[in-house]
């Protein structure tokens, strides 16, 4: 009987892990594919930016889509679109040939519905936790740990596959991950995951999105988390998406890129799982501050481009201290948002991070070409240290333990 109760939470976590594994492989494969063709970090930044630029609008409206059409259905559609766009890259390579604009367009198409899929699965967590008899802290801890494990498997396998079968053929494995996620969610039966009642659905896409925006803006804690997350994404994501791919391309070591990202994912999984045990003993506020300060300190260390074992250690520490942030943010969204608006709140919070992604990617590529990898790394790391000091002075974050 107890094992039956765990089925929904297991399926949600498995589907999220499969989809994240596919995205983790893509993070490594696409920049490598572009750099192998042109050798220009700017081109890699263009593709990375193209994959994130549509996310600003799509993530903003994704929550309304979820609340209008249902969480399970949107998760299925999201993975189907991702699988189709990723599979189109090796097909194009074998037929018409690849170019940077074509890769950028396909990357954008594949990513445009990702926020809706992620938001749909996150919105199902409270019902899955209730069905399993778990607390929200435990459910969020396991969910974020499985997500981080997926990014351990994704980039690590991606780097190894690139080294053995090439970047183009690696994308077939990505397509398979999305297909398996579709099968997993197809088997899910969970209260609240179907089409919402007409009375609770948003009146229109625009009206629903405005309701979500107003709700987040008028909540001091959610608004503060959104701003901090936005700045961190703009400063850190180019490290994974542009700086390290360019650095390890120069070294001719694709597998080492996978090892660094894998070390970070191992740390993130351990940190997220540890949160489940720490939540009852350590304040969420303290864990949040440790995460931001630890990220800044480790990024400064990485900026010196130390030997591989030092870089992997710093990457592990980033994952470890930042592992609890995902569960903490999820807890805030789940406890502060009404059930019928959860999709919209998650969508707005997600869009705040995606808004900064394209700026960070497009800023990093030209900086690398003009000033080099090390200087660009410091230009991104030092502002994170400054932000960590500012967080100590933000009273809204103390509400994490209210």
């Amino acid at each position: 009987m107890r094992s039956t109760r765990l089925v929904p939470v297991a399926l949600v976590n498995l589907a999220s892990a499969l989809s994240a594994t596919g995205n983790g492989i893509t993070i490594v494969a696409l920049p490598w594919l572009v750099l192998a063709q042109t050798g220009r970090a700017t081109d890699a930044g263009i593709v990375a930016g193209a994959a994130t630029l549509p996310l600003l609008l799509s993530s903003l409206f994704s929550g309304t889509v979820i609340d209008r059409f249902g969480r399970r259905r949107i998760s299925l559609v999201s993975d189907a679109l991702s699988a189709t766009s990723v599979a189109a890259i090796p097909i194009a390579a074998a037929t018409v040939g690849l170019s940077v604009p074509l890769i950028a367009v396909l990357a954008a198409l594949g990513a445009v519905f990702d926020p809706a899929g992620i938001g749909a699965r996150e919105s199902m967590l409270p019902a899955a936790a209730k069905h399993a008899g778990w607390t929200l802290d435990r459910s969020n801890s396991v969910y974020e740990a499985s997500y981080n494990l997926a990014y351990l498997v994704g980039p690590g396998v991606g780097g190894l596959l690139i080294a053995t079968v090439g970047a183009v053929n690696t994308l077939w494995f990505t397509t398979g991950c999305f297909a398996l996620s579709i099968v997993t969610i197809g088997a899910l039966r969970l209260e609240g995951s179907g089409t919402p009642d007409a009375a609770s659905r948003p009146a229109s896409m625009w009206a629903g999105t405005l309701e979500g925006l107003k709700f987040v803006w008028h909540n001091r804690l959610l608004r503060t988390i959104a701003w901090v997350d936005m700045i961190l994404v703009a400063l850190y994501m180019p490290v994974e998406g542009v700086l390290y791919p360019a650095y390890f391309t120069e070294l001719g070591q694709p597998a080492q890129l996978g090892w660094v990202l894998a070390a970070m994912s191992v740390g993130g999984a351990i940190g997220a799982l540890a949160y489940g045990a720490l939540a009852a003993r350590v304040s969420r506020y303290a864990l949040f501050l440790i995460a931001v300060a630890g990220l800044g300190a480790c990024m400064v260390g990485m900026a010196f481009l130390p030997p591989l074992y030092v870089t992997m250690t710093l990457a592990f520490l980033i994952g470890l201290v930042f592992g609890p942030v995902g569960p903490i943010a999820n807890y805030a969204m789940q406890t502060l948002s009404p059930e019928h608006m959860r999709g919209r709140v998650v969508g707005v919070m997600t869009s705040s991070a995606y808004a900064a992604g394209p700026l960070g990617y497009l800023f990093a590529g030209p900086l690398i070409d003009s000033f080099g990898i090390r200087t660009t790394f410091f230009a991104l790391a030092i502002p994170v240290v400054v932000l960590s000091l500012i967080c100590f002075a933000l009273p809204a974050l103390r509400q994490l333990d209210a």
Side-chain angles (χ1 to χ4, degrees):
M1 179 68 177
R2 179 170 176 79
S3 61
T4 304
R5 290 166 55 192
L6 296 176
V7 169
V9 75
L11 290 177
V12 171
N13 279 281
L14 178 58
S16 176
L18 287 166
S19 184
T21 299
N23 285 326
I25 296 172
T26 305
I27 285 175
V28 177
L30 289 187
W32 197 274
L33 181 61
V34 174
L35 288 165
Q37 286 196 330
T38 70
R40 284 166 46 86
T42 299
D43 290 336
I46 289 172
V47 171
T52 54
L53 186 59
L55 301 182
L56 173 55
L57 279 179
S58 68
S59 59
L60 185 60
F61 289 96
S62 65
T64 306
V65 172
I66 294 167
D67 288 342
R68 277 178 66 88
F69 299 104
R71 297 160 185 171
R72 181 171 172 271
R73 179 185 298 175
I74 294 304
S75 179
L76 294 170
V77 171
S78 171
D79 284 330
L81 291 176
S82 294
T84 302
S85 62
V86 170
I89 294 177
I91 292 174
T95 54
V96 299
L98 290 176
S99 63
V100 172
L102 178 59
I103 296 173
V105 169
L106 292 175
L109 291 175
V112 70
F113 226 59
D114 275 352
I118 295 171
R121 289 183 286 271
E122 288 184 358
S123 297
M124 289 188 276
L125 278 177
K130 181 180 179 181
H131 194 276
W134 287 8
T135 65
L136 281 178
D137 282 324
R138 183 182 182 186
S139 177
N140 289 323
S141 173
V142 172
Y143 177 84
E144 293 296 331
S146 66
Y147 195 84
N148 278 283
L149 283 174
Y151 271 97
L152 160 65
V153 174
V157 170
L160 294 174
L161 286 173
I162 292 170
T164 54
V165 301
V168 172
N169 290 326
T170 296
L171 294 174
W172 285 119
F173 192 92
T174 305
T175 304
C177 291
F178 290 125
L180 288 174
S181 179
I182 292 170
V183 173
T184 303
I185 290 296
L188 177 66
R189 299 295 181 269
L190 183 65
E191 181 184 357
S193 64
T195 304
D197 294 334
S200 65
R201 290 200 297 264
S204 67
M205 292 294 295
W206 183 247
T209 302
L210 283 178
E211 288 172 357
L213 283 168
K214 290 178 181 177
F215 186 90
V216 171
W217 182 255
H218 290 295
N219 186 288
R220 290 183 64 198
L221 177 57
L222 293 179
R223 184 174 71 239
T224 302
I225 293 175
W227 276 111
V228 172
D229 194 31
M230 183 187 301
I231 297 170
L232 290 178
V233 167
L235 295 171
Y236 178 74
M237 286 308 293
V239 173
E240 291 187 13
V242 182
L243 266 74
Y244 272 140
Y247 177 58
F248 288 109
T249 298
E250 289 182 359
L251 297 179
Q253 296 288 345
Q256 290 186 8
L257 171 60
W259 296 343
V260 171
L261 298 181
M264 188 178 305
S265 296
V266 170
I270 294 173
L273 281 176
Y275 170 76
L278 291 172
R281 301 175 179 87
V282 183
S283 75
R284 299 183 184 92
Y285 173 67
L287 290 173
F288 193 92
L289 294 180
I290 290 171
V292 182
L295 175 62
C298 290
M299 282 183 67
V300 170
M302 286 178 160
F304 289 97
L305 301 178
L308 179 62
Y309 72 93
V310 177
T311 300
M312 290 180 63
T313 301
L314 292 171
F316 173 81
L317 290 174
I318 285 177
L320 186 67
V321 299
F322 222 75
V325 171
I328 289 171
N330 287 347
Y331 181 88
M333 290 185 285
Q334 292 158 358
T335 55
L336 293 173
S337 62
E339 169 69 22
H340 70 283
M341 284 189 66
R342 184 167 298 128
R344 277 166 281 179
V345 172
V346 172
V348 170
M349 295 291 287
T350 303
S351 69
S352 67
Y354 283 128
L359 178 62
Y361 281 129
L362 297 177
F363 177 73
L367 264 183
I368 294 173
D369 289 334
S370 300
F371 302 102
I373 294 173
R374 186 180 304 231
T375 300
T376 303
F377 223 135
F378 277 109
L380 297 173
I382 292 174
V384 176
V385 175
V386 175
L387 177 63
S388 69
L389 298 176
I390 294 174
C391 285
F392 281 88
L394 295 176
L397 292 177
R398 297 184 181 276
Q399 297 175 21
L400 285 168
D401 297 306

